[in-house]
Amino acid sequence: MRVLLTGAAGFIGTRIRARLADAGHDVVAVDALLPAAHGEDADLPADVTRVDVRDAAAVAAALEGVDVVCHQAAVVGAGVNAADAPSYASHNDLGTAVLLAEMFAAGCQRLVLASSMVVYGQGRFVCPEHGDVDPQPRRREDLDAGVFDHRCPLGGERVDWALVGEDAALRPRSLYAASKVAQEHYALAWSESTGGSVVALRYHNVYGPGMPRDTPYSGVAAIFRSALEAGDVPRVFEDGGQMRDFVHVDDIAAANVAAVEAGLDGFDAFNVCSGRPVSILDVATELCDARADVAPVVTGQYRSGDVRHIVADPAKAERVLGFRAVIDPADGLTEFATAPLRG
């Protein structure tokens, strides 16, 4: 198939491009090469064309003869400042709307969309007395006192994390998350109005060789790595017990190839995760141990708006797409401890 891949020069896009080519697909690779993601002096790879997905004419030209679009281009990050909102809305949401409009004009009916776990908000929690509950956001006075876990809104009991399925409510807690929810909603509406197919892949914490070093795109694993390279120690917020799912970039690429080849109808969303939950402290410890370096420091500090736990259920992706991550985080993080990063 002929596949238009946006964001093709990025950390994830580069791996998807190689995996699609290895699978025999003809890849049309485009990227806007935004300085925030690639640095001010980055060169565009020879086999990638500079295209901003907000540019309708450029997108229309790139879509010629394309069977399916694999849309990775996005501005990412926590979005803690309201001033970031126009950038997210422009690059992520307007860009997706332009892409969908040009796909309709070109008669291209299939989209694979890079979404994110952030659409779920604070994840899923279960009270031992009341079952599934939706706890209130953590209070500053509790966080200041070192009480990091959520409490049941009904009886005050400590609640435990549970796997989040794709049918969970979408409740964004950051500007970036709001833009990813909007992308999914645009794609859903486009699918229902045109009869097109959309596979939304909700990535969890992606890591691996070639990850950006010190940008808003970095993620906690790369931040820990950068600290070690600088002769510092990884500093872990809260008590380090925050549970996440870390998924290797090569598994992300494999999930995209599976989605491109699935031939599904309508709109559907899938968690893309390792299925092996790990704590943030364990991630920092794995990296330190692999480098025979210092031990991480648990600071007890916190960031307002951070999510305590969010861990995904991988079952649907395996059942429908035939995808299951093959790289155990224990092995992948050991490799990542010394793997090259992007500058």
Side-chain angles (χ1 to χ4, degrees):
M1 285 185 286
R2 187 170 174 86
V3 182
L4 173 60
L5 174 63
T6 71
F11 162 54
I12 293 174
T14 298
R15 293 302 183 102
I16 295 173
R17 178 161 47 108
R19 194 73 171 243
L20 285 169
D22 288 346
H25 298 291
D26 178 18
V27 182
V28 180
V30 303
D31 199 297
L33 214 71
L34 297 177
H38 299 274
E40 294 291 343
D41 302 318
D43 294 322
L44 196 70
D47 54 352
V48 178
T49 302
R50 190 185 296 269
V51 170
D52 187 323
V53 291
R54 298 170 299 176
D55 182 341
V59 171
L63 277 165
E64 185 174 349
V66 164
D67 301 297
V68 55
V69 175
C70 188
H71 184 32
Q72 307 296 313
V75 170
V76 307
V80 296
N81 190 321
D84 297 331
S87 177
Y88 289 120
S90 178
H91 288 281
N92 297 356
D93 304 332
L94 174 61
T96 298
V98 170
L99 177 63
L100 292 170
E102 294 307 316
M103 287 177 64
F104 175 70
C108 181
Q109 289 283 288
R110 296 187 55 212
L111 174 69
V112 176
L113 174 67
S115 187
S116 171
M117 66 172 188
V118 296
V119 300
Y120 296 125
Q122 66 181 7
R124 180 183 168 205
F125 292 91
V126 177
C127 172
E129 293 295 325
H130 304 101
D132 273 78
V133 293
D134 185 16
Q136 295 296 312
R138 295 181 295 172
R139 301 182 305 169
R140 183 175 295 275
E141 52 265 40
D142 289 335
L143 296 171
D144 287 338
V147 178
F148 300 116
D149 285 306
H150 287 284
R151 298 289 169 175
C152 177
L154 301 177
E157 299 88 352
R158 180 184 175 278
V159 295
D160 295 318
W161 60 269
L163 298 181
V164 179
E166 290 85 349
D167 58 352
L170 306 188
R171 300 186 64 177
R173 290 168 53 89
S174 71
L175 296 171
Y176 169 61
S179 76
K180 300 309 286 186
V181 171
Q183 280 186 302
E184 286 202 20
H185 285 169
Y186 273 113
L188 171 60
W190 175 85
S191 172
E192 294 193 347
S193 64
T194 68
S197 165
V198 177
V199 177
L201 299 177
R202 294 173 179 165
Y203 302 160
H204 284 249
N205 294 267
V206 187
Y207 72 97
M211 194 173 189
R213 187 184 303 272
D214 290 310
T215 77
Y217 293 64
S218 294
V220 68
I223 291 169
F224 289 161
R225 261 291 311 276
S226 295
L228 288 167
E229 287 185 349
D232 201 350
V233 298
R235 286 175 165 77
V236 180
F237 286 160
E238 302 187 13
D239 59 1
Q242 309 94 302
M243 297 300 294
R244 298 289 190 272
D245 190 299
F246 282 77
V247 57
H248 196 279
V249 66
D250 287 342
D251 282 323
I252 293 286
N256 275 272
V257 174
V260 164
E261 296 177 346
L264 302 181
D265 295 324
F267 177 97
D268 214 343
F270 299 90
N271 290 323
V272 181
C273 57
S274 73
R276 301 171 180 89
V278 61
S279 75
I280 297 297
L281 179 57
D282 284 345
V283 171
T285 301
E286 290 272 4
L287 295 175
C288 290
D289 288 351
R291 294 174 65 97
D293 221 319
V294 293
V297 171
V298 177
T299 67
Q301 297 174 321
Y302 64 88
R303 294 181 298 188
S304 179
D306 271 4
V307 172
R308 177 59 174 170
H309 307 297
I310 181 163
V311 180
D313 187 344
K316 182 180 175 183
E318 183 174 22
R319 184 177 71 252
V320 179
L321 296 179
F323 164 78
R324 189 170 186 93
V326 297
I327 301 174
D328 190 306
D331 298 326
L333 288 166
T334 298
E335 171 211 36
F336 181 63
T338 55
L341 301 181
R342 286 193 183 191

